[in-house]
Amino acid sequence: MIGSTVVIAGCSLALAVAAGVLAHEWMHVLVLRLGRVEYSVSYFPGRADGLRSVLTTHPWAAVHPRPTGGEPPWVMRLAALAPAVLAIPVFGLGLAGHMTTETPIVTAAAIGWLACALPSPQDFSVAFHAHRLLERSRESNAPSLSRAD
């Protein structure tokens, strides 16, 4: 029989992941807002039929920056890698000795939170290719010349 500690640890893991996903996206938003870059946030984009496919095949939340092209690339890079800051409190708890084998509930929550602190592959792509994103934004915002004459 599964002990109540294991059940509670599993629930705390799930809650930490849910909260961590939101915190991950809000970290992107925080840096974009401080850098004065326009953005939009969508929750459960590209919903499919059924709860299982929503949870496994689509992101739960997504931030879509809308740069004008005049922003410095470091703002986009910093916004892409900002969720890594979420790991600091977990490492602090670990160094303070609050995560041990005697505290599986705290440890499970910390693992879920740390999973959300990792930048996604898309985040790394933006971090490494921010200049391309800004160039494309600059080109799409350029005034188009009329072909009527």
Side-chain angles (χ1 to χ4, degrees):
M1 182 169 225
I2 297 176
S4 61
T5 303
V6 175
V7 172
I8 294 170
C11 291
S12 69
L13 174 72
L15 288 173
V17 168
V21 166
L22 293 175
H24 177 105
E25 298 303 329
W26 290 341
M27 289 302 296
H28 293 308
V29 166
L30 176 67
V31 175
L32 290 173
R33 181 168 287 190
L34 290 174
R36 295 190 174 126
V37 177
E38 292 292 322
Y39 61 89
S40 64
V41 180
S42 57
Y43 297 99
F44 296 109
R47 289 185 182 180
D49 294 333
L51 180 63
R52 180 176 170 215
S53 69
V54 167
L55 295 176
T56 59
T57 61
H58 296 287
W60 294 355
V63 176
H64 305 282
R66 294 188 305 259
T68 61
E71 299 85 355
W74 64 266
V75 172
M76 299 304 291
R77 289 184 176 110
L78 188 60
L81 299 177
V85 172
L86 295 173
I88 293 172
V90 175
F91 288 131
L93 284 173
L95 291 173
H98 295 290
M99 286 188 290
T100 63
T101 56
E102 288 81 34
T103 58
I105 296 169
V106 174
T107 303
I111 290 169
W113 188 261
L114 275 177
C116 297
L118 294 172
S120 68
Q122 292 88 353
D123 295 341
F124 281 114
S125 178
V126 170
F128 290 120
H129 303 290
H131 58 284
R132 290 183 188 168
L133 173 68
L134 293 172
E135 285 173 7
R136 268 187 277 143
S137 298
R138 205 174 299 123
E139 290 169 2
S140 66
N141 289 337
S144 57
L145 301 174
S146 173
R147 294 287 197 191
D149 42 40

